[in-house]
Each structure stands twice: as C-alpha cells, then as structure tokens.
Amino acid sequence: MHLPLLHRPAPRPRTLLALLAAALIAGTGLAQAADLPQAEAERHAQASYREYFELLSLPNDAIVPEDIRKNVDWLAKAFEKRGFSTRQLDNDGKPMLYAELPGHDAARKTVLFYMHLDGQPVIPAQWAQKSPWTPVLKRRAADGGWEEIDAAPLFDGPVDPEWRVFGRASADDKGPIMMMLAAIDALKAAGGTPAVNVKVILDSEEEKGSPSIAKVMQAHRELLACDAIVIHDGPMHATNRPTLVFGNRGAAEARLTVYGAKVPLHSGHYGNYAPNPAQRLASLLASMKNEQGRVTVAGYYDRVRISAADRQVMAAVPDDETALRRRLGIARTDKVGANYQEAMQYPSLNVRGMASAAVGDKVANIVPDRAVAELDLRTTPDSDAAYLGAQIEKHILKQGYHLVKGAPSDEDRARYDKLATFSYQSEGADAAGAPIDSAIGRWAYKSLTDSFGATPAPVRIRMMGGTVPTAEIVKVLQVPFAIIPLVNADNNQHAANENLRLGNYVSGVRTIYSLMTHPF
C-alpha cells in the first residue's frame, strides 16, 4: 500500500555561530550538540546497510529457539563492535539481549531503549520476492506497484530516500535496532559522549505477546535500572513527521462457542426442526454491536475517561481521514470516536474468525452441532481483559444463554435451550498510558524539535492502537516511558511484503542520535 502523504521534514536552518558551537563541543569530547546533520546521518546509515541486510537474512520467528539464538549472537557481536558490553538474559532457550554503553556517569540520567529482535511468522508464497529472509531493494514502479532493483547502489552510491528494503522484520523491529547502531557510529565518529547513560534491551518474544518479559526483567532488575524507558516500535504518523506516543492498547483473546444438537444433522431431515447454532451465534454476535460499530455490551465503555485537554491533543494530530478511508477502501467508519485518534482510546471487540460446518468444496448439507467465534479485545489502561470479559459474559447470559465450562452434558441439553461456552485471557500485554506533559515527554519533544524543527511540530499521540509490552516493563522498573516510532506507517508490518523506507532509516538515525545527546 502507498501513502501519498509522506513528508520528509527539512533540516532546521542553523546559523554559523551554532555550527561553530557544535564543532567546539565535539572537539572537547563532551556531550554533542543535538542535531546530526542530514548528510552525516545519510553517510552513517549507508555504512550500516550491509549489516542490515545480513541481519534481515536471519530468520527470527520466536517459535524456533535456534533461530532466535543466532539473531542474539549476531546482535551481541554488532553491539560489542561498537564498544557496548553485552549480556544474554536467559529466557527458556530464547535469550533476550542486554547491552550497555560504557562510561556510566552518576550525574547523568539513564535511559533504557527497548526494541525487539523477533519477527512475525511468514508464508513465503505470499511474498513478491524469492524469500522473506532474502532482503531486496525496490522502487515505485510506473503502475504504482513495487519493482525490484539492483541493491549495489545502496551500499556505494546515491540512495533515493523513497527506495524501500523488503523483508521480514525490516521495519518491525530490526530496522530501529540498526538505526541505533548507526547512530552510535555517528556519535563515535564525532568524538563525543552521550548526554544520558545508554542501556538497551532487545526482546526475543514480542511478537508472541512478550509472555516472559516481566519475569526476565524482574530477575535482572538491578541490571536494567534506569530513569526512563524509550520504546522504538510501531509506525510513525502517516505524514512521516517525528512522532511521540504516550500509550498503547493491550490485547486479549476470547472464544465463544454456541451448541446445537449432539451431532451434525441432515439438513433435509432436521432443517426447520433442530436449531442451527451458526445462526444463533451470528445473532448473538450481532447483539454485541450496533450498525454504527459501537459495542452495545452494557458497561463496555463506562471506564473510559477522556479530558478536554486529551481531546485537544487528539484534534491536533494531522490525520487525513478522507485519504485514510480511500486507502482502506471503506465508505464510512465506525462511530466509536469522533475521529481516528479518539477511536483508539476505547476498548474494542473484534470478531477475528468464525467456524461451524465445512465451507467451500468441503461443504455438506447439515445443521452443524456447534459454531465457534474467535474474538480479540483491545484493552485500555482503564478497561483490562478481566473487566471486558466479565461484561461480555453478563451480556451472553442476558441473551438467554446458559454457560457451561465444556461440552454440555445430557442434563444440560435437556434443561436449557441455549447453551454456550465463553473464555477469555490476556495475550500477555496489558494497556499502558503516560501523561503527555511528563518529564520524559518534554525531553523527547525537545530532542525532536531541536533536530527536525518545531514547524511542523512533532505529532503527539495519546494512545496507539497496537500493542507492545509497555505495561509489563513499567510494572517491574517503575519508571516513565515514551514510545518513539521510527518506521513508515505503510510498512506492512505483520503481513507479507513488510518494508522499510530508506528515508525513515536516515531520520531514525538522527532521532536516536538526538535522544542520546540531549540531557534528560
């Protein structure tokens, strides 16, 4: 997919006096001036592209521990080459990687940078290239699609910022890891030291919901001690302006099964006689939402609190919703919020799959014995999985259903007309939120405006719709956080043909450099 709204912020004009001051600071070996010139960022980004391709060639699905260990070993060497001390944190055969830049200074604040090294599973046949694990360089074709081009200029020649690298984890999340390594290269080349103590943690199971992140962090709490956390994950705003995010929704999964007769029945002999559970399931699901897309389960939105100041922040986000609807191919949106940003502040109830009898060429003329719906619930800081699941359960009961733990017994069947099971659980990542005007928020905002300018201003988002393990990390370390995405919004993360725009790679190097060189 393509967003015609991408925008590359121009470097902020600098006076001769400012340039001389920056050179003087660099010459003394003190913390650098915060702005890494565009040309320098491009040079250090290009010097890291071979490593980037090498890293992308390593499969990283967390279901394969051996592949995760290969990624961790590779990244440990890459960080050590740049002077970091590293340590692999045990995690049931899929270690997480910790890295720390030497020169800890008690007078400086310590920032822990979180990224993840694992990636989503792949179906190779869905990718428009030889393999998802063989990264390729592409440019926009005349027909609006993407065409593969020779990657040689990427390593030694002029680079078009609109070119993209296609491969699994190119954007989510190996790209940001490599941007950090290139930013460190730029800092060392300038002969400076960071203005904050730099620690890094690379998660090995984020795409599996980070089920063990809290356990690993608790076991190494002293090692990971910090004053703030910066999370480099998720997409930037569609305008490609520097983006700050101050919360994320959590994720929970649920399953609803409606029962019919004991066994599938011949639809000729029993149609019009035995109730069809697929039809009942459809009606039950329909009762949970109205035509406007709002959840009608009593109490589902009751805990959401959005202040006037919050709405003002959301209104300032430069979303082009007409273009968004066009890109999505929808005529109208659900009316959960007044706009896209406001819609992300509410918990969601999404039907992600349904099944009863076979379909397609396997279909049979039967009344099915059961029908199943798989749901995902996006939670918010004020509405967790336990609360939302309890409200849905109450709603099911109000529709006349009797809930059983497993397959209903003969006694259940004789006594109750409507039988169902309902279960839910967190997928391992809860929702998290932080004040936009917090100390870390002000520090990050100043870092971005110093490097990219205040006009147009960085985009500040109260809460993004996707899920990262922010809450689990913060619960253990008890420090504030900010999410600072670095990759293009149309990167196809989690899907086939994932990609990273090279202009974003360069701006990501500048962003991380700026964060490291601004006192917090």
Side-chain angles (χ1 to χ4, degrees):
M1 54 186 161
H2 175 56
L3 288 180
L5 307 173
L6 293 177
H7 167 69
R8 291 189 310 244
R12 181 170 55 90
R14 307 188 70 200
T15 65
L16 178 60
L17 181 60
L19 290 169
L20 290 173
L24 178 61
I25 292 173
T28 62
L30 299 176
Q32 303 271 24
D35 184 23
L36 177 66
Q38 178 76 10
E40 283 298 291
E42 291 173 354
R43 184 168 69 86
H44 288 287
Q46 187 168 38
S48 70
Y49 288 151
R50 288 191 186 277
E51 285 179 286
Y52 179 42
F53 267 53
E54 187 177 333
L55 178 59
L56 292 181
S57 71
L58 299 176
N60 64 340
D61 187 342
I63 201 172
V64 186
E66 182 181 355
D67 286 346
I68 292 298
R69 290 194 292 270
K70 289 178 181 178
N71 279 267
V72 172
D73 289 342
W74 190 98
L75 284 163
K77 291 177 182 177
F79 275 91
E80 289 164 3
K81 184 172 75 173
R82 291 162 171 89
F84 281 79
S85 60
T86 68
R87 181 173 168 182
Q88 296 191 20
L89 309 183
D90 183 59
N91 180 33
D92 298 325
K94 295 174 281 188
M96 299 184 188
L97 182 65
Y98 171 78
E100 182 174 348
L101 200 60
H104 180 93
D105 185 344
R108 299 189 306 227
K109 297 289 188 181
T110 298
V111 177
L112 176 66
F113 292 83
Y114 168 95
M115 292 162 282
H116 65 91
L117 56 87
D118 65 317
Q120 281 280 319
V122 299
I123 301 176
Q126 295 178 348
W127 288 67
Q129 60 195 69
K130 179 180 178 181
S131 164
W133 310 117
T134 302
V136 297
L137 183 65
K138 295 187 179 184
R139 67 184 176 192
R140 184 67 71 183
D143 62 2
W146 293 98
E147 60 183 4
E148 186 173 336
I149 59 174
D150 183 9
L154 183 62
F155 311 119
D156 183 21
V159 174
D160 186 337
E162 299 302 331
W163 288 347
R164 301 195 183 194
V165 173
F166 283 72
R168 174 53 88 224
S170 55
D172 184 27
D173 199 27
K174 288 182 175 179
I177 297 173
M178 286 305 309
M179 294 172 198
M180 166 162 274
L181 295 176
I184 290 292
D185 291 340
L187 184 63
K188 288 183 174 294
T193 56
V196 296
N197 300 313
V198 177
K199 294 183 177 182
V200 180
I201 181 72
L202 302 183
D203 195 348
S204 58
E205 292 186 292
E206 194 275 343
E207 298 296 5
K208 301 294 181 286
S210 297
S212 55
I213 189 74
K215 179 184 71 174
V216 173
M217 289 203 151
Q218 188 65 51
H220 302 282
R221 190 172 179 178
E222 290 186 12
L223 182 70
L224 298 167
C226 58
D227 297 292
I229 301 164
V230 168
I231 296 172
H232 291 310
D233 198 1
M236 295 174 66
H237 187 262
T239 58
N240 237 17
R241 282 160 53 178
T243 305
L244 285 167
V245 182
F246 295 92
N248 60 266
R249 293 197 290 187
E253 59 184 21
R255 171 177 286 189
L256 173 60
T257 303
V258 172
Y259 296 96
K262 285 184 178 181
V263 296
L265 301 172
H266 188 288
S267 63
H269 295 315
Y270 295 101
N272 291 348
Y273 186 80
N276 188 312
Q279 188 69 50
R280 284 186 165 182
L281 175 63
S283 297
L284 181 54
L285 292 172
S287 75
M288 296 181 185
K289 277 190 173 182
N290 62 22
E291 284 293 313
Q292 288 71 47
R294 292 183 60 85
V295 176
T296 52
V297 173
Y300 208 78
Y301 298 144
D302 283 2
R303 291 187 174 182
V304 176
R305 296 290 182 270
I306 304 175
S307 69
D310 292 333
R311 294 185 193 280
Q312 186 175 5
V313 168
M314 288 185 281
V317 177
D319 291 331
D320 184 340
E321 296 205 32
T322 300
L324 179 58
R325 290 194 301 273
R326 186 183 308 117
R327 178 164 66 87
L328 298 179
I330 58 176
R332 68 170 184 84
T333 65
D334 286 345
K335 304 304 179 185
V336 178
N339 50 47
Y340 173 79
Q341 296 300 325
E342 190 173 314
M344 296 301 103
Q345 313 308 306
Y346 289 85
S348 69
L349 195 167
N350 178 58
V351 180
R352 62 180 181 175
M354 299 173 65
S356 56
V359 296
D361 59 357
K362 303 296 183 183
V363 71
N365 293 332
I366 61 169
V367 177
D369 62 320
R370 69 187 64 194
V372 181
E374 296 285 352
L375 314 174
D376 74 69
L377 318 176
R378 291 293 169 165
T379 64
T380 60
D382 39 34
S383 306
D384 61 14
Y387 174 77
L388 298 177
Q391 307 317 304
I392 296 173
E393 188 170 289
K394 292 176 186 176
H395 179 86
I396 295 170
L397 293 172
K398 287 180 180 178
Q399 309 313 303
Y401 281 85
H402 176 73
L403 291 174
V404 293
K405 294 297 184 183
S409 66
D410 287 346
E411 183 181 349
D412 292 328
R413 293 178 178 279
R415 185 175 179 183
Y416 300 104
D417 172 36
K418 294 181 176 180
L419 291 164
T421 60
F422 178 68
S423 61
Y424 59 89
Q425 64 179 12
S426 170
E427 288 187 346
D430 293 329
I436 289 176
D437 61 351
S438 65
I440 186 173
R442 294 193 300 271
W443 165 72
Y445 190 82
K446 179 170 173 39
S447 298
L448 295 177
T449 54
D450 281 356
S451 287
F452 297 97
T455 306
V459 177
R460 292 186 292 181
I461 295 173
R462 183 177 185 256
M463 185 160 57
M464 69 179 184
T467 301
V468 288
T470 311
E472 288 67 31
I473 298 170
V474 171
K475 284 176 186 176
V476 175
L477 299 182
Q478 294 294 305
V479 293
F481 73 91
I483 301 171
I484 306 179
L486 303 172
V487 303
N488 43 292
D490 58 342
N491 66 74
N492 289 350
Q493 66 184 92
H494 292 197
N497 303 313
E498 179 181 349
N499 66 85
L500 176 63
R501 176 180 170 272
L502 291 175
N504 282 78
Y505 193 113
V506 174
S507 66
V509 173
R510 292 182 67 195
T511 295
I512 295 175
Y513 183 99
S514 180
L515 294 169
M516 291 191 300
T517 56
H518 265 83
F520 173 36

